[in-house]
Amino acid sequence: MAVEKMSIAKALNESLRKALEQDPKVLIMGEDVGKLGGVFRITDGLQKDFGEERVIDTPLAESGIVGTAIGLALRGYRPVVEIQFDGFVFPAYDQIVTQLAKMHARALGKVKMPVVVRIPYAGGIGAVEHHSESPEALFAHVPGLKVVSPSNASDAYWMLQQAILSDDPVIFFEPKRRYWDKGEVDFDAIPGELHKARVSREGSDVTLAAYGPMVKVCLEAAAAAAEEGKSVEVLDLRSMSPVDFDGIQASVEKTRRLVVVHEAPVFLGVGSEVAARITERCFYHLEAPVLRVGGFHAPYPPARLEDEYLPGLDRVLDAVDRSLAY
Amino acid sequence: MTVESTAARKPRRSSGTKRAAGAASAAKPAAATAQTQDVVPQLVQLLTPEGDRVDNAENAEFAPFVADITTEDLRGLYRDMVMTRRFDGEATALQRQGELGLWASLLGQEAAQIGSGRALNDEDYVFPTYREHGVAWCRGVDPTNLLGMFRGVNHGGWDPNTNNFHLYTIVIGSQTLHATGYAMGVAKDGADSAVIAYFGDGASSQGDVAEAFTFSAVYNSPVVFFCQNNQWAISEPTERQMRVPLYQRAQGFGFPGVRVDGNDVLACLAVTRWALDRARRGEGPTLVEAFTYRMGAHTTSDDPTKYRRDEETAAWEAKDPILRLKAHLLATGGADEAFFTELEAESEAMGKRVREAVRAMPDPDTMAIFENVYADGHALVDEERAQFAAYLASFEEGH
């Protein structure tokens, strides 16, 4: 059966399995990825089937994980490293920003850096501090890195395949609160381009652009708005570096209104860049300023407050109303 | 491999054998006096500052690794050090003349670099910091290539895989992890080669170096950590970096650490060969601390007279690595005046070539800004490249 319904977590697991099968140079590295199968079980069973030399339990040291992955890539391997949680990537941030991102340019193109850094990110699971953050803009800002995030099982499977095949370093953000959401994966499909946005729901009055965990919220908002007679288009950006501005522009030229939604703080977030570029590109098409919905300029709150912090249906619909009111 | 089994392979350097007087005095480097330590550091030395060969308990395990070194080989090591110093001096002069934006001189560290660099096989891989001009020389990297980043025309002007010599790394200690990862790959490939990572005493304080020690130990990776302890991290002395002798740190990670006289090219060659041999045999990492001295500034941007005493520098001048080998060659009849005169002329010619090459080095093309940012391309880079090209072209159209 080419098409199978499965969770995002399972789709990621199948994707890693396929990558390990197809290329002996692919390695999985990270804390607890072996016997445990990762704290979210994304690497479940892989060490059992591919051995400790391919699925490598590492010391508890994030800079070491990324730094040694760089060395393995220089030797011709294609490491896929797991950072256990979003807030734990910062000990590795130096290696990612000063080394991984720049090695290809520094070597005048003579070496490639096919390293994937998988990061379960964003909130909504009632976790403690450092386990719910959305640092994607910090990586998207760095030349040399590519940054993507799937929102459904099919993308989880295919985008991870494409990230592993890429000769560039890819920061792969996995929406952890969606890990158990199920969707169809067509294993024989010809996947779309990794960095192209996708229209998840067609509409004509306003465009909601989101990625990762917020795509589902936006689809729910669009369904609710439809009951009020508003036609909302939902665009799944999928990639934060590069951003598919052409795809957003096409949608905005149709709907003439844009609201960008993400969990990360609004200030200097991906939404800020989208708003600025689309204002430049679509100034004469826009009927309203580009609006942004996201997190606050505050540390991610304790779990008992995260429902207030995270953009939900009402905050997204409020922005849709504000956009339509112009 | 367990920690215990690697520790068991530590060289026996505390046998209590009575040492020769000359070696005993060399075992207490002047600059180590401020360190808090329970154990007097051992120092592997084969040539005294006066150029005399020494045999003692400290070097007994390592001396066999240079038993094959002929007089001709010694002349070759001497030539390497002279040529490297000449190159380094030329680069310093070029910086003073405004041809280079910055230079990190290796003056005083020639023996550590040539000794370790000549210990390597072609298949071995080197991860340098930004001062390894002598190691680059040993690897056959054209010296003029080293100057591109200091002139500001690139961030590293050579293909690392041509000479198995990675690009200079400026962020302190980062490359020790790259070396460890590369060595993990070497082990996976079952290759009969080793990896060497260079770093300094200041870098030893960095977390990345500790993580590199951890990873290499637990994966038993074929990597040699070669620390040139040149006593100063810009203006910070070693006592601001460590409270116990650096080489002893290896023991805590479960692999051997050796302190070698970093101004003794023969000892550096022997100890590095020994460590590389261990790595190739699958016995894991080694930390080599080459105890040496940076005679010049950290880079041409700082002024060492602000932070260190003239007496200290003078004491190290007496241990000069080049004069030491020259004394040995003269005393043993290994070289005559004609050799030194010819070498002088050769090094002058090299200096001239470097000078001319730097001055002829073209600025990169403006559009190089957008090249090699990504291997697979990136829409934003493409967009900005096109916009900037159009902007530049608009000036052409105006005339």
Side-chain angles (χ1 to χ4, degrees), chain A residues 53 56-58 61 63-64 68 71-72 75 77 95 99 104-106 108 144-146 166-168 241-242 277 281, chain B residues 155-156 166-167 174 177-178 181-182 185-186 188-189 191 208 211 215 219 372 374-378 380 383-384:
Chain A
E53 286 291 310
I56 305 165
D57 275 321
T58 64
S63 191
T68 53
L72 281 156
R75 180 71 190 179
Y77 287 86
Q95 281 287 344
Q99 306 300 320
H104 180 69
R106 187 179 293 149
L108 300 175
L145 301 177
K146 291 179 174 175
S166 170
D167 282 332
D168 289 312
S241 179
R277 296 245 172 202
R281 285 177 173 231
Chain B
H155 297 309
H166 190 65
L167 300 159
S174 292
L177 280 169
H178 308 161
Y182 195 95
V186 168
K188 284 181 184 304
D189 295 342
D208 274 4
E211 294 189 24
F215 274 68
Y219 296 124
N372 302 309
Y374 292 90
D376 296 340
H378 190 285
L380 182 60
E383 181 183 321
E384 292 185 349

Side-chain angles (χ1 to χ4, degrees), chain A:
Chain A
M1 183 66 179
V3 180
E4 200 175 317
K5 192 167 184 179
M6 63 179 65
S7 67
I8 286 179
K10 178 67 175 166
L12 292 167
N13 180 268
E14 290 292 336
S15 190
L16 292 171
R17 176 175 293 278
K18 186 180 175 193
L20 287 164
E21 282 170 356
Q22 288 195 327
D23 184 352
K25 293 294 186 184
V26 171
L27 305 171
I28 311 289
M29 301 169 65
E31 298 156 13
D32 309 306
V33 298
K35 284 194 175 63
L36 181 65
V39 291
F40 290 105
R41 309 291 184 270
I42 306 302
T43 55
D44 195 29
L46 298 178
Q47 190 183 66
K48 178 171 160 287
D49 293 343
F50 294 94
E52 294 181 7
E53 286 291 310
R54 303 284 309 280
V55 182
I56 305 165
D57 275 321
T58 64
L60 211 160
E62 283 79 8
S63 191
I65 293 169
V66 174
T68 53
I70 290 169
L72 281 156
L74 289 168
R75 180 71 190 179
Y77 287 86
R78 303 183 86 85
V80 183
V81 309
E82 178 175 300
I83 300 294
Q84 208 153 61
F85 284 92
D86 34 70
F88 303 165
V89 74
F90 295 107
Y93 195 66
D94 168 44
Q95 281 287 344
I96 293 172
V97 171
T98 70
Q99 306 300 320
L100 182 63
K102 292 178 176 168
M103 200 68 82
H104 180 69
R106 187 179 293 149
L108 300 175
K110 302 294 187 189
V111 300
K112 291 173 175 149
M113 278 288 114
V115 177
V116 176
V117 181
R118 293 180 40 242
I119 308 175
Y121 84 121
I125 64 163
V128 294
E129 195 183 14
H130 312 304
H131 289 67
S132 304
E133 296 172 12
S134 298
E136 62 271 16
L138 297 171
F139 295 92
H141 192 64
V142 178
L145 301 177
K146 291 179 174 175
V147 183
V148 300
S149 179
S151 70
N152 57 65
S154 176
D155 274 352
Y157 180 81
W158 285 112
M159 287 171 70
L160 186 51
Q161 290 288 303
Q162 291 165 315
I164 294 168
L165 288 170
S166 170
D167 282 332
D168 289 312
V170 180
I171 313 298
F172 194 90
F173 282 104
E174 299 171 0
K176 66 170 87 78
R177 68 166 147 150
R178 306 293 182 217
Y179 269 146
W180 303 280
D181 288 5
K182 288 190 174 178
E184 286 188 343
V185 178
D186 182 351
F187 293 109
D188 297 330
I190 297 169
E193 289 180 46
L194 178 59
H195 302 290
K196 285 285 181 210
R198 180 191 297 115
V199 177
S200 295
R201 177 189 172 112
E202 299 243 13
S204 55
D205 295 337
V206 58
T207 298
L208 283 176
Y211 51 83
M214 293 311 296
V215 173
K216 187 175 183 180
V217 173
C218 289
L219 285 169
E220 289 169 355
E227 292 177 10
E228 300 171 2
K230 297 164 193 161
S231 175
V232 175
E233 178 147 306
V234 177
L235 202 59
D236 184 349
L237 294 182
R238 300 170 76 246
S239 175
M240 284 78 80
S241 179
V243 173
D244 179 13
F245 292 112
D246 291 344
I248 307 171
Q249 181 175 349
S251 178
V252 170
E253 286 180 358
K254 182 172 67 170
T255 65
R256 295 175 172 262
R257 289 178 170 83
L258 175 63
V259 177
V260 191
V261 185
H262 50 58
E263 288 191 23
V266 165
F267 182 71
L268 290 177
V270 172
S272 306
E273 183 61 35
V274 171
R277 296 245 172 202
I278 291 304
T279 302
E280 281 182 34
R281 285 177 173 231
C282 305
F283 189 71
Y284 294 108
H285 286 92
L286 286 167
E287 298 284 354
V290 180
L291 300 179
R292 290 164 291 159
V293 180
F296 306 114
H297 198 60
Y300 194 89
R304 297 280 179 160
L305 286 174
E306 69 179 343
D307 283 347
E308 304 299 323
Y309 175 92
L310 293 170
L313 205 58
D314 290 339
R315 274 172 61 196
V316 174
L317 287 170
D318 175 66
V320 167
D321 289 346
R322 280 190 285 133
S323 179
L324 288 167
Y326 277 92

Side-chain angles (χ1 to χ4, degrees), chain B residues 18-20 23 45-47 52-60 63:
Chain B
K18 193 174 180 183
R19 289 170 290 158
Q45 188 182 65
L46 292 171
L47 275 182
D52 299 327
R53 276 293 297 260
V54 281
D55 292 309
N56 56 32
E58 278 72 48
N59 70 27

